[in-house]
Amino acid sequence: MRKPMIAGNWKMNKTRDEAINFTLGVANGLPLNVECVVCAPFIILRDLVKRAPKNLKIGAQNMDYHESGAFTGEISPIMLQDTGVEYVIIGHSERRSYYNETDESVNLKVKKALEFNLKPIVCVGEVLEERESGKTEEVLAKQVRLGFEGVKLDEPANLVVAYEPVWAIGTGKNATSQTAQDACKFIRGELAKIFGQSKADEIRILYGGSVKPENIKEYMANEDVDGALVGGASLKVDSFLALCNYKN
Ligand code: PGA
């Protein structure tokens, strides 16, 4: 029922030429039964939307929650909509830790994204200290509750949640398949409290944190893991294609 998704998060990588070469490189190798997405820097989004093959969706990595105004350096949902992107990552742990994003700003951004027909990929996850002190579920419950408070969700398939334990991002220390499953299942339960079980069953939940072609299959074998949000391994054509084609 939930279409699997492999979403690349390029972070602050790739010039326009590099990004266009990437789209040419993957053009003939993407499967149809998996939704393949790359989330790219703002400045190359319009070019990517224009040039990407049909089965490669494009997303942004952040947006402001204001529609316009005196917010120097920010990008609004109207501007994103204008580029033609389909997805936007919201509340990535790097945004939370380096740019002071909070569950409250995540909440405002989720509401605005949905209002402007952008599909949010909302990141949640605990830091190492929280995991080691047994607080993972408490942290995830709070992030989900505050992040989605008051959100009206007509189309649950348009919302994606990414479980990204902060200790697993860019460290090579990926969570075990069971840890990912347990957290994704817990998150689905929390989503059900907000949106009801049937909508929660349609929301895709991704795992993110050191996902590679070598470990993607283990994650995807889990009931509640519907895909992956991938940083480092999404930058190269070969590894992105291998991730997207994990079924083959
Ligand atoms: P990583 O990053 O795959 O390089 O660990 C994941 C992410 O930050 O979304």
Side-chain angles (χ1 to χ4, degrees):
M1 180 174 78
R2 300 186 294 264
K3 188 171 185 179
M5 172 187 262
I6 301 293
N9 172 13
W10 283 352
K11 309 191 181 184
M12 200 171 69
N13 293 293
K14 289 200 192 293
T15 62
R16 179 176 174 275
D17 282 353
E18 287 165 350
I20 289 169
N21 282 337
F22 179 96
T23 63
L24 296 173
V26 298
N28 296 317
L30 295 171
L32 293 172
N33 52 0
V34 173
E35 191 161 11
C36 310
V37 183
V38 289
C39 298
F42 288 130
I43 199 164
I44 53 178
L45 290 176
R46 186 183 283 276
D47 284 306
L48 282 175
V49 169
K50 244 190 262 169
R51 290 166 189 257
K54 223 175 74 203
N55 46 345
L56 180 64
K57 310 280 180 65
I58 306 300
Q61 300 171 9
N62 178 37
M63 61 165 224
D64 198 85
Y65 53 81
H66 298 93
E67 293 178 21
S68 64
F71 301 99
T72 302
E74 291 297 320
I75 297 290
S76 78
I78 296 174
M79 294 167 187
L80 280 191
Q81 194 182 44
D82 195 42
T83 66
V85 294
E86 194 167 324
Y87 287 95
V88 56
I89 297 174
I90 291 178
H92 188 278
S93 63
E94 286 151 18
R95 301 288 323 169
R96 292 177 189 254
S97 65
Y98 306 146
Y99 304 99
N100 304 320
E101 292 206 11
T102 60
D103 293 326
E104 290 71 22
S105 64
V106 167
N107 182 257
L108 292 166
K109 290 181 181 196
V110 171
K111 288 176 179 163
K112 273 293 164 198
L114 290 169
E115 186 183 329
F116 286 90
N117 295 318
L118 299 160
K119 300 175 183 171
I121 302 174
V122 183
C123 301
V124 296
E126 80 287 0
V127 299
L128 188 59
E129 200 190 347
E130 291 163 339
R131 172 155 291 268
E132 286 177 342
S133 56
K135 293 206 176 109
T136 298
E137 293 197 344
E138 190 186 314
V139 169
L140 294 178
K142 180 164 172 270
Q143 289 175 337
V144 170
R145 180 168 44 79
L146 297 180
F148 296 113
E149 197 162 53
V151 169
K152 262 193 62 216
L153 190 62
D154 299 325
E155 276 297 332
N158 289 348
L159 176 63
V160 179
V161 178
Y163 168 60
E164 295 210 311
V166 180
W167 47 270
I169 296 177
T171 58
K173 289 185 197 147
N174 56 305
T176 65
S177 171
Q178 189 63 49
T179 299
Q181 162 60 20
D182 291 347
C184 291
K185 185 175 179 191
F186 177 79
I187 289 167
R188 198 177 304 286
E190 294 304 297
L191 290 168
K193 292 183 193 165
I194 299 168
F195 299 117
Q197 190 64 53
S198 70
K199 282 189 177 171
D201 285 339
E202 282 186 61
I203 297 171
R204 284 173 295 179
I205 306 180
L206 315 180
Y207 165 73
S210 301
V211 175
K212 302 178 198 69
E214 301 78 56
N215 59 28
I216 182 73
K217 265 193 183 171
E218 295 165 41
Y219 292 116
M220 296 307 290
N222 289 307
E223 167 95 32
D224 287 285
V225 180
D226 304 312
L229 182 58
V230 188
S234 72
L235 289 168
K236 294 224 167 82
V237 166
D238 289 355
S239 61
F240 186 71
L241 282 177
L243 287 163
C244 292
N245 288 288
Y246 71 91
K247 288 188 182 178
N248 304 325

